[in-house]
Amino acid sequence: MADFSSPAYKRSRAAYVAQSTFEYFITLVVADAFLAKLLTSLGVSDAMAGIIASFVSLVFVVQIFSILLVKGRMGSRSLSMIFETLSQLCFASIYFIPFLPVSREAKHMIVILAILFAYVSKYLVYYILFKWGNSFVENSRRGRFSALREMVSLFGGIVFTLVVSRVFDSYEASGNLSGGFLFIAIVILVCTLSSLVSMLLMKPESTVEEQSDKKSLRDVMRNTLGNPHFRRLLVFAVLWECAKYFTVGFLGVYKTKELVMTVFLVQIVNVVANGFRLVFSVPFGKYSDKTSFAKGIKLGLILAAAAFLFCMLTTPKNWFFIILYTVLYNVSTAGTNQNGFNIMYSTVSNEYIVQAMAIRNCVGGIFGFGAALLGGRILSAVQANGNRAFGIPMYGQQLLAGISLLLTVSAIVYLHFAIVRPDEERRLVHMD
């Protein structure tokens, strides 16, 4: 019987929060304006930069191999430490690419491969690490713990991004952009070491093989894809992943080019947005624990729809709308991210959590990356047409945001009728 109040469990929870925070720091400097600056300096086109930024959706496909990992003899701790560290080292390596004495085309290929391998390593064990970290938390408190973990990461991220972006901008302002990239690489290496130490402090879990009892593939499929509740979540995941990746990956370049925002200004906006998300994380967690994870997701999607609406209206003349987009989208993730993980516990048996998450993200990732590829083609077409679509002057990112808005509304409708309402009906039957 697990003793959640024991020193070992308390230490493990604190170490998991710390590991998540350092991992989040790395995420901040390999996305948005930082990544856009690197890719632009390497001569990557706007459309390709958006597709590269969306690689995270494609590599969700590798999570299907988590099913094979959980049948092995290596424990969660070893798997997480090996693959997480490899991922973070690959992220650090991309900021050394500008220094390589190779052609521009070779640099393009190297940055693509490095980012791909980094995400592959990260997401191959993402939910193994998630399940390991959450094994130290009582079921009834997972919503609040997820909110607390998110709050610590966000608060730390606010300070982190302000300092790092300010230093980076000072390098760029002095004409030493390469020095800024070297600074980012060193920051990632420090965070990588800190993340590794945090995982070492977490209590080892029994081997994944023992937890999974060597479930056969047929057994896994019967308890995941054979589960109608899981299939409905899968359809929802496809809609939401497509909605996100039609737009999100293309905004980093849009901010630094068309909207002429500095990295520091972009990060100031992100800090403000994260501040709002910090305020709403605990209320979202309590709301989800009180009602349901599905209702928490639904509330997050409503905010995401509003965010895409403001993004669709953003132009250089009213660039400040991107602030409203960023705030609303970030707050929306307080409802969609952790609830998206936790809802799996109320959908499939605990022993199939890793496999179910892998399947969901594999399918969602394929469709999400497909949306990014299509979004890249649409963006290129709009730019080639003099920033006009259907005879109307607009930027490609505005059109993509409009498509994301329609898909998000579709996801809300589907979630309500296919997941929220059936859950309420089942609850009423049990009460009777």
Side-chain angles (χ1 to χ4, degrees), residues 229 232-240 287 292-303 335-336 339-340 343 347 360 407-424 426:
H229 306 303
R232 288 197 286 270
L233 271 183
L234 205 57
V235 174
F236 165 74
V238 167
L239 286 171
W240 178 225
Y287 174 76
S292 70
F293 295 129
K295 284 190 175 181
I297 294 172
K298 181 182 174 183
L299 182 57
L301 288 178
I302 292 171
L303 293 175
T336 58
N339 285 324
I343 196 172
T347 304
R360 184 196 66 178
L407 287 170
T408 302
V409 171
S410 300
I412 293 170
V413 173
Y414 181 84
L415 179 72
H416 177 77
F417 288 103
I419 299 175
V420 174
R421 182 172 286 183
D423 282 351
E424 291 177 340
R426 283 199 303 273

Side-chain angles (χ1 to χ4, degrees), residues 351-367:
E351 56 190 315
Y352 298 98
I353 286 294
V354 172
Q355 297 93 329
M357 287 180 172
I359 294 170
R360 184 196 66 178
N361 286 290
C362 175
V363 175
I366 291 172
F367 280 90

Side-chain angles (χ1 to χ4, degrees), residues 8-159:
Y9 272 68
K10 290 179 180 178
R11 185 193 69 238
S12 297
R13 287 196 294 270
Y16 182 42
V17 170
Q19 188 279 328
S20 300
T21 302
F22 291 119
E23 181 184 44
Y24 178 62
F25 288 172
I26 295 173
T27 301
L28 291 173
V29 292
V30 295
D32 205 21
F34 289 108
L35 182 62
K37 282 289 183 181
L38 174 67
L39 297 178
T40 299
S41 74
L42 296 176
V44 176
S45 69
D46 291 2
M48 181 55 67
I51 292 171
I52 291 173
S54 302
F55 275 167
V56 62
S57 64
L58 174 63
V59 298
F60 278 146
V61 174
V62 306
Q63 289 188 338
I64 200 69
F65 295 106
S66 295
I67 295 175
L68 300 178
L69 285 180
V70 298
K71 292 172 72 63
R73 300 189 63 84
M74 196 177 293
S76 299
R77 190 189 201 196
S78 299
L79 285 168
S80 299
M81 287 193 295
I82 291 171
F83 286 98
E84 272 287 301
T85 303
L86 277 176
S87 169
Q88 292 162 3
L89 289 175
C90 284
F91 278 131
S93 74
I94 69 175
Y95 286 100
F96 288 112
I97 293 175
F99 301 97
L100 297 178
V102 296
S103 66
R104 187 173 74 171
E105 291 72 21
K107 289 180 179 179
H108 291 181
M109 183 57 65
I110 293 171
V111 75
I112 288 172
L113 291 176
I115 293 175
L116 264 177
F117 193 78
Y119 278 127
V120 165
S121 299
K122 176 184 176 69
Y123 285 102
L124 191 59
V125 295
Y126 189 80
Y127 290 113
I128 291 175
L129 174 57
F130 175 80
K131 186 172 183 288
W132 175 33
N134 276 276
S135 68
F136 308 114
V137 185
E138 294 177 82
N139 290 346
S140 62
R141 299 190 63 84
R142 279 183 177 151
R144 274 163 282 191
F145 177 77
S146 295
L148 172 65
R149 185 165 62 94
E150 195 169 69
M151 285 177 66
V152 173
S153 295
L154 289 173
F155 183 77
I158 288 173
V159 178

Side-chain angles (χ1 to χ4, degrees), residues 288-349:
S288 300
D289 282 339
K290 184 179 179 180
T291 57
S292 70
F293 295 129
K295 284 190 175 181
I297 294 172
K298 181 182 174 183
L299 182 57
L301 288 178
I302 292 171
L303 293 175
F308 287 125
L309 175 61
F310 279 109
C311 186
M312 185 177 68
L313 299 174
T314 302
T315 65
K317 290 183 178 179
N318 58 3
W319 67 270
F320 51 88
F321 274 11
I322 202 69
I323 299 175
L324 297 174
Y325 158 79
T326 308
V327 170
L328 287 169
Y329 185 80
N330 278 35
V331 173
S332 77
T333 60
T336 58
N337 282 7
Q338 296 302 329
N339 285 324
F341 301 151
N342 290 324
I343 196 172
M344 301 301 291
Y345 286 100
S346 57
T347 304
V348 300
S349 174

Side-chain angles (χ1 to χ4, degrees), residues 247-311:
T247 300
V248 175
F250 300 93
L251 295 181
V253 174
Y254 189 51
K255 294 172 186 176
T256 56
K257 278 193 173 181
E258 282 82 2
L259 303 184
V260 200
M261 299 172 69
T262 66
V263 171
F264 184 66
L265 178 56
V266 171
Q267 296 309 317
I268 286 291
V269 172
N270 288 340
V271 163
V272 172
N274 283 334
F276 277 96
R277 181 178 170 185
L278 189 65
V279 170
F280 286 99
S281 283
V282 170
F284 258 110
K286 289 182 177 179
Y287 174 76
S288 300
D289 282 339
K290 184 179 179 180
T291 57
S292 70
F293 295 129
K295 284 190 175 181
I297 294 172
K298 181 182 174 183
L299 182 57
L301 288 178
I302 292 171
L303 293 175
F308 287 125
L309 175 61
F310 279 109
C311 186

